[in-house]
Amino acid sequence: MKILAVCGMGFGSSMMLKITLEKVLKEKGIKADVQTTDFSTAASESADLIFTNEEFGRQLAGGSVTVVTIKNIADANEVREKLEQALS
């Protein structure tokens, strides 16, 4: 599975989100390739899931990739809950 962690520039908050995602994935025993990217690149990337903030999520929604919006990128509980919802 390929997951994109998306922010405005492709580093910074997307890197923090990637770290949180990888922690949750490891806890759940799920193997995934988590990559960081900027908003404009994400629209054309191939992935199974996109994790991002609400602003970018609204703009990326409607495509072929499931978009998951996160309010607090460092909150493992929120990320875990949203990941579980996306995978069910």
Side-chain angles (χ1 to χ4, degrees):
M1 172 180 355
K2 181 178 175 182
I3 301 174
L4 296 179
V6 178
C7 70
M9 300 300 276
F11 49 90
S13 59
S14 64
M15 183 58 71
M16 291 177 63
L17 180 54
K18 175 183 177 172
I19 291 167
T20 307
L21 272 164
E22 288 176 334
K23 176 183 173 183
V24 169
L25 290 163
K26 183 177 180 180
E27 288 172 2
K28 297 188 73 52
I30 299 171
K31 293 188 186 257
D33 177 24
V34 182
Q35 298 178 5
T36 60
T37 190
D38 64 278
F39 167 73
S40 59
T41 303
S44 62
E45 283 282 319
S46 167
D48 298 296
L49 295 171
I50 293 175
F51 277 71
T52 191
N53 64 32
E54 292 181 0
E55 177 187 341
F56 292 138
R58 283 189 298 274
Q59 296 176 50
L60 291 168
S64 61
V65 179
T66 300
V67 177
V68 179
T69 59
I70 300 293
K71 291 181 182 177
N72 182 349
I73 59 176
D75 183 352
N77 289 325
E78 179 186 3
V79 171
R80 185 179 304 105
E81 180 182 313
K82 299 281 182 87
L83 176 66
E84 290 169 353
Q85 290 172 0
L87 295 176
S88 64

